[in-house]
Amino acid sequence: MSQTVAVLDIGKTNVKLALFDHGRLLWEKSAPNSIRPGPPYPHEDVESAWRFFLDALREAARAHRISAIVPTAHGAAGALIGEDDLAAPVMDYEFADVDAIEPDYAALRPPFSETLSPKLPAGLNLGRQLAYQKWRCPELFANAKHFVGYPQYWSWRLSGVAVSEVTTIGAHTDLWAPRQGQVSSLVKALGVGHLLQPMRPAFDPLGPIKPDIAAACGLAPDTPVFCGIHDSNASLLPYLVSRQAPFTVLSTGTWVILMSVGLSLDQLDPRDDTLANVDALGRPIACGRFMGGREYAMIAGSGGNADLGAIERVIASGAMALPCFCGQGGPYATTEGVVRGEVAARDRAALATLYCALVSDLMLTRMGATIGDLIVEGTFARNLPFCMALGALRPAQRVFAAKDAAGTARGAAMLAQWPPSYRIAEPGPIDSISIAGLDSYHKAWTATVDGIAR
């Protein structure tokens, strides 16, 4: 039976509406996401995104009968909701002034052993955002009735039902204890338990779309709105139902999120920005993260596309990109990135590709993800030299690349029929190759970064 699922995909960089039927992409439209400068702090431009989604739903509904709606959104964002609107703007997680509350927040933050959530800069710990809003914006905070993750803000706006969901509340927020499967001690210490809503699975239908939205967009009044999911966990869903553990998914975009299924959590170290996220079934997953997409762009500049020959030229030159170029994410977030050596403009993309492969390899090793397949999805899945370099760095593991860039939205669409009854598209295997000089270059790069103080 045909079922057309509309996915609201709210990324850090772009917002997108995508329609799927049994995993097949039917239609999509996207627009840039934006951050408003404040007051009271830099925040998500939710109203521009909302107008985009209404217009896109209206356009899509003229061509397809939409059977369900599922939201997915980036992590480290949450919404304080009042009676019928936001009580406070949705904070941009890059708002650095959140650091001003660190001494007071540090006294409340649970230990890493409880939350498996490392101390992260700016607002990347959602619990710290909440503390800032409570302590620095008390008038706004006092109007809040609910606090929900960002995907669930959109499901609330569409359906009127406010809920919590574990992939979002468990994504380095300090608010969740993954091993115990319950909220952390921070919730009580911060005094926000009354704002958290009942936990619902990502694949739960919350109710029909609001009648006025259905009428405005030309949707059936009984169109169900599903709970929704953290975007990196949406990327993981197709492989949870199609692969045997252990395996690792590299979800790539603005961030590179490395999610290892079936591996121990014992090697996680907050100094490495390794942590536990939680999958859609509530299970803790060993993860690592660095801002690979943004770092790639900063290193590559306008250097065109990488190819294997360009990577070998960079290796032969001895030039190296050393972390970190964006000030957040990964083991060396507090170190200023630098390029050592001379690199021709045409080879900058190759240098960036090699850098992202080396950081991915480093984090996989530190996480203990030394066995099982590696599946690259998202932006870097289209960067064949990245996939080939990663495979050459880790010859004991097979590397696969997803065949399109719609992995996040496609995974989210599965929630409307969970578990899916249709066949999941398999990623393509990457041929094993040898890259001239890579072994020596890898050893030299690793020795250099191992010497960087953290």
Side-chain angles (χ1 to χ4, degrees):
M1 180 179 177
S2 177
Q3 183 183 48
T4 299
V5 180
V7 174
L8 279 63
D9 185 355
I10 304 96
K12 177 65 174 173
T13 306
N14 296 292
V15 292
K16 178 170 65 176
L17 184 76
L19 268 56
F20 294 88
D21 182 3
H22 289 77
R24 181 171 62 94
L25 180 64
L26 301 177
W27 186 95
E28 67 178 340
K29 187 174 185 177
S30 64
N33 200 2
S34 59
I35 299 296
R36 299 183 66 83
Y41 41 73
H43 55 270
E44 296 279 341
D45 189 352
V46 296
E47 294 309 316
S48 289
W50 179 245
R51 289 191 295 272
F52 164 79
F53 284 127
L54 291 180
D55 290 343
L57 281 167
R58 191 178 299 114
E59 182 180 345
R62 288 197 289 266
H64 302 275
R65 187 184 185 282
I66 294 173
S67 305
I69 300 176
V70 180
T72 182
H74 65 79
L80 287 165
I81 300 171
E83 288 293 347
D84 55 10
D85 202 352
L86 284 171
V90 176
M91 186 183 293
D92 174 22
Y93 64 66
E94 295 186 80
F95 175 49
D97 286 358
V98 172
D99 287 336
I101 68 164
E102 180 54 28
D104 292 326
Y105 183 69
L108 303 183
R109 177 189 287 115
F112 181 78
S113 59
E114 178 185 347
T115 64
L116 300 180
S117 171
K119 175 182 177 292
L120 300 176
L124 282 166
N125 296 123
L126 193 50
R128 189 153 70 150
Q129 288 187 37
L130 262 179
Y132 183 94
Q133 290 169 313
K134 182 176 182 178
W135 297 338
R136 296 299 174 93
C137 309
E139 299 86 358
L140 298 176
F141 191 88
N143 293 325
K145 305 297 182 186
H146 314 299
F147 177 75
V148 299
Y150 203 29
Q152 288 68 54
Y153 165 74
W154 294 97
S155 60
W156 168 82
R157 190 149 183 181
L158 290 164
S159 70
V161 180
V163 299
S164 295
E165 187 276 325
V166 72
T167 67
T168 301
I169 209 73
H172 52 81
T173 65
D174 296 341
L175 297 166
W176 191 250
R179 287 191 173 103
Q180 289 74 39
Q182 63 187 30
V183 296
S184 75
S185 56
L186 177 64
V187 171
K188 181 178 180 180
L190 192 55
V192 296
H194 65 289
L195 297 176
L196 297 183
Q197 298 307 293
M199 200 69 65
R200 297 278 292 272
F203 44 78
D204 261 14
L206 301 185
I209 192 170
K210 291 179 179 178
D212 59 326
I213 300 173
C217 297
L219 302 174
D222 60 349
T223 303
V225 177
F226 283 75
C227 179
I229 191 169
H230 172 225
D231 58 3
S232 296
N233 275 282
S235 302
L236 182 62
L237 280 177
Y239 308 105
L240 290 180
V241 298
S242 63
R243 286 185 171 259
Q244 293 293 317
F247 64 87
T248 299
V249 173
L250 287 75
S251 175
T252 66
T254 302
W255 289 88
V256 173
I257 311 293
L258 308 99
M259 299 174 283
S260 293
V261 177
L263 296 181
S264 169
L265 306 177
D266 293 342
Q267 286 189 229
L268 300 179
D269 187 333
R271 296 173 301 169
D272 292 331
D273 205 353
T274 57
L275 61 147
N277 280 351
V278 183
D279 72 13
L281 302 178
R283 303 171 300 189
I285 302 293
C287 292
R289 17 161 282 140
F290 70 102
M291 219 168 188
R294 183 170 293 178
E295 292 199 277
Y296 179 95
M298 294 174 73
I299 298 168
S302 57
N305 297 319
D307 59 44
L308 195 56
I311 286 178
E312 290 184 338
R313 286 196 299 272
V314 170
I315 291 172
S317 76
M320 292 181 181
L322 302 171
C324 166
F325 291 86
C326 62
Q328 55 184 305
Y332 302 101
T334 60
T335 304
E336 185 174 353
V338 63
V339 175
R340 292 186 183 174
E342 297 295 325
V343 182
R346 64 172 182 157
D347 290 340
R348 296 285 298 194
L351 178 67
T353 296
L354 193 55
Y355 170 84
C356 290
L358 286 162
V359 176
S360 297
D361 169 73
L362 176 75
M363 297 203 73
L364 288 166
T365 297
R366 291 187 177 180
M367 290 164 56
T370 57
I371 58 174
D373 294 342
L374 306 173
I375 303 107
V376 181
E377 75 83 35
T379 307
F380 285 1
R382 303 193 302 272
N383 185 336
L384 181 59
F386 169 84
C387 298
M388 296 170 77
L390 184 64
L393 289 165
R394 306 187 72 79
Q397 295 174 273
R398 297 183 302 168
V399 177
F400 296 79
K403 295 178 181 177
D404 61 47
T408 295
R410 192 185 307 280
M414 294 168 57
L415 295 172
Q417 189 186 47
W418 184 262
S421 60
Y422 51 88
R423 184 177 179 83
I424 305 301
E426 285 293 321
I430 301 298
D431 291 337
S432 299
I433 62 163
S434 175
I435 298 177
L438 181 62
D439 285 348
S440 297
Y441 185 92
H442 180 207
K443 290 175 183 176
W445 186 90
T446 301
T448 303
V449 298
D450 281 349
I452 296 174
R454 292 188 286 164

